[in-house]
Each structure stands twice: as C-alpha cells, then as structure tokens.
Amino acid sequence: MKKKLSLLITASTLAAGILAGCSAGGKNASKEDEFKVGVNLELSGAVASYGQSLESGIDLAIKEINADGGIDGKKIVPVKVDNKSDLTEATNGALKLIDQDKVSAIIGAATSGDTVAQVQIANDKQTVLLTPSGTAPNVTVNEDGKLNEYAFRTSFIDPFQGNVAANFAINDLKIKNAAIYADSASDYAKGLAAAFKETFTAAGGKIVSEESYVAKDTDFSATLTRIKGKNPEFVFIPGYYEEVGLIIKQAREMGITAPFMGADGWDSPKLIDLAGAKNLNNTFITNHYSSEDPDEKIQKFVSAFKDEYGKSPDAFNALGYDSVYLLKDAAERAGSTDSDKIKEELAKTKDLSLITGIVTIDENHNPIKSATVLEYQDGKQVFKTKVDPK
C-alpha cells in the first residue's frame, strides 16, 4: 500500500510539474529556445502550385532568420501539414497544429476557402492565423461585419485588386466595354468580379456580358461563344490558373483577340503550360509584386531566392517570405511567443517594409499596401506599373 501511495504521490508531483511547465510561458507559447510555427498549405491537390511556392518563400525566410540568431534568440521551428487543397483537411490540419503540436501561430492557407475553414478554430482556440494569400474579405471579417480576432493576412484583399484591374482597363487600355467570366462557386472570383464591375461601371464603362463556369470544368466553348457574340473590348477572368489557362487557350483558338485580365490567382508557372505562351500575349494580371521591380530590397530578395532555388521568385514565393517576417516583427515587439501577445502586436503593425510593399495593418486586419500590374509577353511576366492604395 505504501509503495502504491508513494507511486501515486510521485505521479501527481510529475503531473503538476508538467502542467506548471506548460502554463509557464502562457497559452500556445513555445519552449524557451524555440518559436514553433504551424504551416498549413496546399502542398498537393488542385492548387498545389500556390502552396509549394509559399512553402519555398517561408523556408527561405526561416533559414535567414535562424542564421541571424532567430527571434529574440529563439529558433523558428516550422511544423508543416499538407491540407491537400481540401477544406476538411485544412480544418483537421489546424486542429492538429494547435492541439497536438502546440504552435504559437499558423501560416496558411494559400486560398481563401482553405483559410476560412480554419478561422473559427483559430478564434476559438485563440491562436494567430496568418494567411499569406487568402484575399477574400471574409477571412478577417465575417459576413455580419464581425472581426475575426485572430485572423490576419499578408496579401491585399479582392476588392482592391478588382478596383486596380478596372482602373487599368479604363485608364491605361482605354476600354469602354468589357465581359466578366468568373467561377460561380468561388468567393475569390465573385468578390473580384463584383469589385471590378462596380469600379468599371462607375467610371463610365459598360459590362456587355457576364458568364460563369465552375471549377474543374474543361470545356468552355459554349460560354466563350456567347461572350464572343457580344464582341467585348476586354474580358475580366477572376479565377485560378487551372481553369484560366484552358479558357485562354480555347478563347484564342476561337478567334477572341481581346485583352484578358485577371488577378493573383493566375500566378503559377503552370498557367503558361496550360494556355501556351503565345496565347497569353495581350493578357494582364494584378499581383503583389514583380521580380523586375528595381526596388533595392526586392532585388536583394530576388538574388537570395535565385541562389537558394535557382529560379526567379513569383508573388507566392514573396508572400510566403513576407509572412514569416511579418510574424517575426510582431513576436519581437511582443517579446513573447504567446499567441495573444503576438496577435496584439500584429494589429499594431505600421509602415513595415516587406518585399510585397510597406505594410500597415488596418482595423480589419488587412494590410494597406500597393499592388502591381504585370503583362504576359511570350510567357514572361513583365512589370507594367505599381498602384498605391488611395
């Protein structure tokens, strides 16, 4: 009996010690010598190109920061999950990262849908969720206007991209009428389409055709025929590269020569394979940055990325990289790996110089920063202009 009692007392003492150790650093605080960060990305599945590009940027930033002493002496330890471009997997990944891995923050996902799938979990479990590229407004603010307290983003939001695209069409291309061809099941596409239409028509433009498709469609001939029949001067296609590449290829084969324009969802090397380099001539996108931008900070990043990976970085590479540095800045100002304290400092971010712009986080946890317009010329993205927020 004494032996059992002694074992019971010893076990209780150990349990108390473990609990004390867990609570010593605060909720979701990493060990003293590390800063544990979850990475929940689309590393396989339909939009794996986005997740893989973000991962490369994240890895480079972590390598640089750790080589420079980490964050207040703490080494960044990434814990990665592949959400497989699936909402359920994204949700399960967030639960694992928070409950099992005890991360201080999560970077991800790439798309708005896979990010929104994690938002309620992040709020309920009071853990920072930072999406590098989820651009839909409802990532950070619910449909009822309520702020998602623990959700932040590195990218600008869809309405800003839609406004930039519309103004570029009106002012730079001198377009008077346009067609909109959007994915009817995508919040990303619908948000961009609505913003483009509002800005374009307010500036005197006319929408002559509005058509839709659904993700995974491969034959767009019927809707493209209807669009062609309206003879638009310009076609706005807010969507992801998988469908956009096929749409542009089929449109050009049908004899539609009008300029096309989209947003950051086009930005994948696979777009060129799907559409064909020649077919992409006379197309444009709004994006987060350009590797051709002469800015000294950008060119330093481009050089470092080329040294690491042997190729020029795209916008998703840059957004992944910036997300780590945005988190680093907040954690250093917080002086802690506690998620609550990091959250408070993220919300106070002001004039932070990153690769994709000088960032100030607004009251809705969205960054105020510039956008870039790029043109495809023989399969290469060419820097056109940079547009600052008004």
Side-chain angles (χ1 to χ4, degrees), residues 98 118-129 139-140 142 146-151:
I98 297 170
Q118 304 175 68
V119 166
Q120 193 58 53
I121 295 167
N123 286 337
D124 290 345
K125 295 182 178 291
Q126 300 178 336
T127 302
V128 165
L129 175 66
V139 166
T140 55
N142 288 330
K146 183 180 179 181
L147 180 70
N148 290 318
E149 188 177 358
Y150 285 83

PDB file of all heavy atoms in Angstrom, residues 98 118-129 139-140 142 146-151:
ATOM      1  N   ILE A  98      -2.624  23.094 -33.530  1.00  0.00           N
ATOM      2  CA  ILE A  98      -2.890  23.790 -32.272  1.00  0.00           C
ATOM      3  C   ILE A  98      -2.931  22.824 -31.091  1.00  0.00           C
ATOM      4  O   ILE A  98      -2.258  23.033 -30.073  1.00  0.00           O
ATOM      5  CB  ILE A  98      -4.202  24.590 -32.364  1.00  0.00           C
ATOM      6  CG1 ILE A  98      -4.092  25.686 -33.428  1.00  0.00           C
ATOM      7  CG2 ILE A  98      -4.543  25.216 -31.006  1.00  0.00           C
ATOM      8  CD1 ILE A  98      -5.409  26.374 -33.755  1.00  0.00           C
ATOM      9  N   GLN A 118     -10.281  27.407 -41.381  1.00  0.00           N
ATOM     10  CA  GLN A 118      -9.512  27.382 -40.127  1.00  0.00           C
ATOM     11  C   GLN A 118      -9.867  28.524 -39.174  1.00  0.00           C
ATOM     12  O   GLN A 118      -9.472  28.494 -38.008  1.00  0.00           O
ATOM     13  CB  GLN A 118      -8.022  27.492 -40.430  1.00  0.00           C
ATOM     14  CG  GLN A 118      -7.459  26.458 -41.374  1.00  0.00           C
ATOM     15  CD  GLN A 118      -6.010  26.741 -41.688  1.00  0.00           C
ATOM     16  OE1 GLN A 118      -5.136  26.643 -40.834  1.00  0.00           O
ATOM     17  NE2 GLN A 118      -5.750  27.123 -42.934  1.00  0.00           N
ATOM     18  N   VAL A 119     -10.576  29.517 -39.677  1.00  0.00           N
ATOM     19  CA  VAL A 119     -10.754  30.754 -38.917  1.00  0.00           C
ATOM     20  C   VAL A 119     -11.464  30.542 -37.586  1.00  0.00           C
ATOM     21  O   VAL A 119     -11.029  31.053 -36.546  1.00  0.00           O
ATOM     22  CB  VAL A 119     -11.499  31.810 -39.774  1.00  0.00           C
ATOM     23  CG1 VAL A 119     -11.986  32.969 -38.904  1.00  0.00           C
ATOM     24  CG2 VAL A 119     -10.581  32.347 -40.867  1.00  0.00           C
ATOM     25  N   GLN A 120     -12.575  29.806 -37.592  1.00  0.00           N
ATOM     26  CA  GLN A 120     -13.314  29.616 -36.342  1.00  0.00           C
ATOM     27  C   GLN A 120     -12.484  28.874 -35.308  1.00  0.00           C
ATOM     28  O   GLN A 120     -12.544  29.176 -34.105  1.00  0.00           O
ATOM     29  CB  GLN A 120     -14.612  28.859 -36.614  1.00  0.00           C
ATOM     30  CG  GLN A 120     -15.593  28.876 -35.437  1.00  0.00           C
ATOM     31  CD  GLN A 120     -15.979  30.278 -35.020  1.00  0.00           C
ATOM     32  OE1 GLN A 120     -16.411  31.082 -35.850  1.00  0.00           O
ATOM     33  NE2 GLN A 120     -15.818  30.609 -33.742  1.00  0.00           N
ATOM     34  N   ILE A 121     -11.693  27.915 -35.776  1.00  0.00           N
ATOM     35  CA  ILE A 121     -10.805  27.188 -34.873  1.00  0.00           C
ATOM     36  C   ILE A 121      -9.782  28.130 -34.259  1.00  0.00           C
ATOM     37  O   ILE A 121      -9.525  28.104 -33.047  1.00  0.00           O
ATOM     38  CB  ILE A 121     -10.096  26.044 -35.629  1.00  0.00           C
ATOM     39  CG1 ILE A 121     -11.114  25.004 -36.076  1.00  0.00           C
ATOM     40  CG2 ILE A 121      -9.012  25.404 -34.762  1.00  0.00           C
ATOM     41  CD1 ILE A 121     -10.569  24.023 -37.079  1.00  0.00           C
ATOM     42  N   ALA A 122      -9.197  28.982 -35.094  1.00  0.00           N
ATOM     43  CA  ALA A 122      -8.206  29.944 -34.601  1.00  0.00           C
ATOM     44  C   ALA A 122      -8.819  30.879 -33.565  1.00  0.00           C
ATOM     45  O   ALA A 122      -8.213  31.165 -32.518  1.00  0.00           O
ATOM     46  CB  ALA A 122      -7.626  30.746 -35.763  1.00  0.00           C
ATOM     47  N   ASN A 123     -10.032  31.351 -33.841  1.00  0.00           N
ATOM     48  CA  ASN A 123     -10.718  32.232 -32.889  1.00  0.00           C
ATOM     49  C   ASN A 123     -11.035  31.498 -31.580  1.00  0.00           C
ATOM     50  O   ASN A 123     -10.778  32.011 -30.487  1.00  0.00           O
ATOM     51  CB  ASN A 123     -12.005  32.781 -33.505  1.00  0.00           C
ATOM     52  CG  ASN A 123     -11.762  33.853 -34.541  1.00  0.00           C
ATOM     53  OD1 ASN A 123     -10.725  34.499 -34.547  1.00  0.00           O
ATOM     54  ND2 ASN A 123     -12.707  34.039 -35.439  1.00  0.00           N
ATOM     55  N   ASP A 124     -11.595  30.302 -31.702  1.00  0.00           N
ATOM     56  CA  ASP A 124     -11.994  29.549 -30.518  1.00  0.00           C
ATOM     57  C   ASP A 124     -10.799  29.169 -29.653  1.00  0.00           C
ATOM     58  O   ASP A 124     -10.875  29.204 -28.415  1.00  0.00           O
ATOM     59  CB  ASP A 124     -12.743  28.272 -30.918  1.00  0.00           C
ATOM     60  CG  ASP A 124     -14.123  28.552 -31.498  1.00  0.00           C
ATOM     61  OD1 ASP A 124     -14.615  29.689 -31.341  1.00  0.00           O
ATOM     62  OD2 ASP A 124     -14.696  27.640 -32.122  1.00  0.00           O
ATOM     63  N   LYS A 125      -9.697  28.825 -30.303  1.00  0.00           N
ATOM     64  CA  LYS A 125      -8.518  28.362 -29.577  1.00  0.00           C
ATOM     65  C   LYS A 125      -7.485  29.476 -29.382  1.00  0.00           C
ATOM     66  O   LYS A 125      -6.381  29.223 -28.904  1.00  0.00           O
ATOM     67  CB  LYS A 125      -7.906  27.157 -30.291  1.00  0.00           C
ATOM     68  CG  LYS A 125      -8.840  25.947 -30.285  1.00  0.00           C
ATOM     69  CD  LYS A 125      -8.229  24.742 -30.952  1.00  0.00           C
ATOM     70  CE  LYS A 125      -9.183  23.545 -30.881  1.00  0.00           C
ATOM     71  NZ  LYS A 125      -9.349  23.035 -29.505  1.00  0.00           N
ATOM     72  N   GLN A 126      -7.867  30.675 -29.778  1.00  0.00           N
ATOM     73  CA  GLN A 126      -7.061  31.874 -29.535  1.00  0.00           C
ATOM     74  C   GLN A 126      -5.624  31.708 -30.025  1.00  0.00           C
ATOM     75  O   GLN A 126      -4.649  31.906 -29.299  1.00  0.00           O
ATOM     76  CB  GLN A 126      -7.094  32.225 -28.049  1.00  0.00           C
ATOM     77  CG  GLN A 126      -8.501  32.514 -27.538  1.00  0.00           C
ATOM     78  CD  GLN A 126      -8.562  32.810 -26.053  1.00  0.00           C
ATOM     79  OE1 GLN A 126      -7.690  32.396 -25.291  1.00  0.00           O
ATOM     80  NE2 GLN A 126      -9.586  33.536 -25.626  1.00  0.00           N
ATOM     81  N   THR A 127      -5.526  31.344 -31.298  1.00  0.00           N
ATOM     82  CA  THR A 127      -4.227  31.153 -31.934  1.00  0.00           C
ATOM     83  C   THR A 127      -4.176  31.958 -33.229  1.00  0.00           C
ATOM     84  O   THR A 127      -5.083  31.884 -34.057  1.00  0.00           O
ATOM     85  CB  THR A 127      -3.990  29.661 -32.255  1.00  0.00           C
ATOM     86  OG1 THR A 127      -4.069  28.906 -31.038  1.00  0.00           O
ATOM     87  CG2 THR A 127      -2.619  29.451 -32.884  1.00  0.00           C
ATOM     88  N   VAL A 128      -3.121  32.719 -33.406  1.00  0.00           N
ATOM     89  CA  VAL A 128      -2.968  33.558 -34.598  1.00  0.00           C
ATOM     90  C   VAL A 128      -2.974  32.705 -35.860  1.00  0.00           C
ATOM     91  O   VAL A 128      -2.293  31.675 -35.947  1.00  0.00           O
ATOM     92  CB  VAL A 128      -1.657  34.365 -34.515  1.00  0.00           C
ATOM     93  CG1 VAL A 128      -1.291  34.951 -35.883  1.00  0.00           C
ATOM     94  CG2 VAL A 128      -1.780  35.480 -33.491  1.00  0.00           C
ATOM     95  N   LEU A 129      -3.770  33.130 -36.841  1.00  0.00           N
ATOM     96  CA  LEU A 129      -3.818  32.526 -38.171  1.00  0.00           C
ATOM     97  C   LEU A 129      -3.462  33.613 -39.175  1.00  0.00           C
ATOM     98  O   LEU A 129      -4.177  34.606 -39.304  1.00  0.00           O
ATOM     99  CB  LEU A 129      -5.214  31.967 -38.460  1.00  0.00           C
ATOM    100  CG  LEU A 129      -5.455  31.403 -39.867  1.00  0.00           C
ATOM    101  CD1 LEU A 129      -4.616  30.154 -40.097  1.00  0.00           C
ATOM    102  CD2 LEU A 129      -6.936  31.089 -40.078  1.00  0.00           C
ATOM    103  N   VAL A 139     -12.172  36.397 -44.764  1.00  0.00           N
ATOM    104  CA  VAL A 139     -11.107  35.763 -43.980  1.00  0.00           C
ATOM    105  C   VAL A 139     -10.954  36.471 -42.638  1.00  0.00           C
ATOM    106  O   VAL A 139     -10.844  35.831 -41.589  1.00  0.00           O
ATOM    107  CB  VAL A 139      -9.764  35.790 -44.746  1.00  0.00           C
ATOM    108  CG1 VAL A 139      -8.596  35.452 -43.811  1.00  0.00           C
ATOM    109  CG2 VAL A 139      -9.792  34.815 -45.915  1.00  0.00           C
ATOM    110  N   THR A 140     -10.972  37.790 -42.678  1.00  0.00           N
ATOM    111  CA  THR A 140     -10.736  38.556 -41.450  1.00  0.00           C
ATOM    112  C   THR A 140     -12.005  39.175 -40.863  1.00  0.00           C
ATOM    113  O   THR A 140     -12.033  39.502 -39.681  1.00  0.00           O
ATOM    114  CB  THR A 140      -9.718  39.686 -41.700  1.00  0.00           C
ATOM    115  OG1 THR A 140     -10.176  40.503 -42.779  1.00  0.00           O
ATOM    116  CG2 THR A 140      -8.350  39.115 -42.052  1.00  0.00           C
ATOM    117  N   ASN A 142     -16.273  38.567 -40.755  1.00  0.00           N
ATOM    118  CA  ASN A 142     -17.410  37.721 -41.104  1.00  0.00           C
ATOM    119  C   ASN A 142     -18.434  38.475 -41.936  1.00  0.00           C
ATOM    120  O   ASN A 142     -18.406  39.712 -42.024  1.00  0.00           O
ATOM    121  CB  ASN A 142     -18.088  37.188 -39.832  1.00  0.00           C
ATOM    122  CG  ASN A 142     -17.253  36.134 -39.139  1.00  0.00           C
ATOM    123  OD1 ASN A 142     -16.497  35.410 -39.784  1.00  0.00           O
ATOM    124  ND2 ASN A 142     -17.387  36.043 -37.831  1.00  0.00           N
ATOM    125  N   LYS A 146     -18.474  41.189 -38.229  1.00  0.00           N
ATOM    126  CA  LYS A 146     -17.703  40.965 -37.001  1.00  0.00           C
ATOM    127  C   LYS A 146     -16.266  40.580 -37.335  1.00  0.00           C
ATOM    128  O   LYS A 146     -16.012  39.727 -38.186  1.00  0.00           O
ATOM    129  CB  LYS A 146     -18.357  39.871 -36.159  1.00  0.00           C
ATOM    130  CG  LYS A 146     -17.656  39.637 -34.824  1.00  0.00           C
ATOM    131  CD  LYS A 146     -18.355  38.532 -34.032  1.00  0.00           C
ATOM    132  CE  LYS A 146     -17.639  38.278 -32.717  1.00  0.00           C
ATOM    133  NZ  LYS A 146     -18.274  37.190 -31.935  1.00  0.00           N
ATOM    134  N   LEU A 147     -15.320  41.212 -36.647  1.00  0.00           N
ATOM    135  CA  LEU A 147     -13.900  40.946 -36.869  1.00  0.00           C
ATOM    136  C   LEU A 147     -13.524  39.558 -36.361  1.00  0.00           C
ATOM    137  O   LEU A 147     -13.901  39.158 -35.259  1.00  0.00           O
ATOM    138  CB  LEU A 147     -13.058  42.000 -36.148  1.00  0.00           C
ATOM    139  CG  LEU A 147     -11.535  41.858 -36.272  1.00  0.00           C
ATOM    140  CD1 LEU A 147     -11.080  42.170 -37.693  1.00  0.00           C
ATOM    141  CD2 LEU A 147     -10.833  42.781 -35.282  1.00  0.00           C
ATOM    142  N   ASN A 148     -12.793  38.809 -37.175  1.00  0.00           N
ATOM    143  CA  ASN A 148     -12.192  37.560 -36.721  1.00  0.00           C
ATOM    144  C   ASN A 148     -10.897  37.916 -35.999  1.00  0.00           C
ATOM    145  O   ASN A 148      -9.881  38.220 -36.628  1.00  0.00           O
ATOM    146  CB  ASN A 148     -11.926  36.627 -37.910  1.00  0.00           C
ATOM    147  CG  ASN A 148     -13.201  36.080 -38.502  1.00  0.00           C
ATOM    148  OD1 ASN A 148     -14.116  35.703 -37.775  1.00  0.00           O
ATOM    149  ND2 ASN A 148     -13.287  36.044 -39.823  1.00  0.00           N
ATOM    150  N   GLU A 149     -10.950  37.878 -34.695  1.00  0.00           N
ATOM    151  CA  GLU A 149      -9.919  38.482 -33.859  1.00  0.00           C
ATOM    152  C   GLU A 149      -8.522  37.922 -34.090  1.00  0.00           C
ATOM    153  O   GLU A 149      -7.531  38.643 -33.998  1.00  0.00           O
ATOM    154  CB  GLU A 149     -10.303  38.305 -32.388  1.00  0.00           C
ATOM    155  CG  GLU A 149      -9.408  39.058 -31.414  1.00  0.00           C
ATOM    156  CD  GLU A 149      -9.867  38.905 -29.971  1.00  0.00           C
ATOM    157  OE1 GLU A 149     -10.902  38.251 -29.742  1.00  0.00           O
ATOM    158  OE2 GLU A 149      -9.174  39.427 -29.088  1.00  0.00           O
ATOM    159  N   TYR A 150      -8.423  36.638 -34.404  1.00  0.00           N
ATOM    160  CA  TYR A 150      -7.110  36.008 -34.519  1.00  0.00           C
ATOM    161  C   TYR A 150      -6.661  35.806 -35.966  1.00  0.00           C
ATOM    162  O   TYR A 150      -5.598  35.231 -36.205  1.00  0.00           O
ATOM    163  CB  TYR A 150      -7.100  34.678 -33.758  1.00  0.00           C
ATOM    164  CG  TYR A 150      -7.043  34.884 -32.269  1.00  0.00           C
ATOM    165  CD1 TYR A 150      -8.200  35.144 -31.535  1.00  0.00           C
ATOM    166  CD2 TYR A 150      -5.826  34.863 -31.585  1.00  0.00           C
ATOM    167  CE1 TYR A 150      -8.150  35.366 -30.168  1.00  0.00           C
ATOM    168  CE2 TYR A 150      -5.770  35.079 -30.210  1.00  0.00           C
ATOM    169  CZ  TYR A 150      -6.936  35.337 -29.516  1.00  0.00           C
ATOM    170  OH  TYR A 150      -6.876  35.572 -28.160  1.00  0.00           O
ATOM    171  N   ALA A 151      -7.445  36.260 -36.935  1.00  0.00           N
ATOM    172  CA  ALA A 151      -7.117  36.080 -38.345  1.00  0.00           C
ATOM    173  C   ALA A 151      -6.495  37.348 -38.938  1.00  0.00           C
ATOM    174  O   ALA A 151      -7.022  38.448 -38.762  1.00  0.00           O
ATOM    175  CB  ALA A 151      -8.365  35.692 -39.129  1.00  0.00           C
TER     176      ALA A 151
END
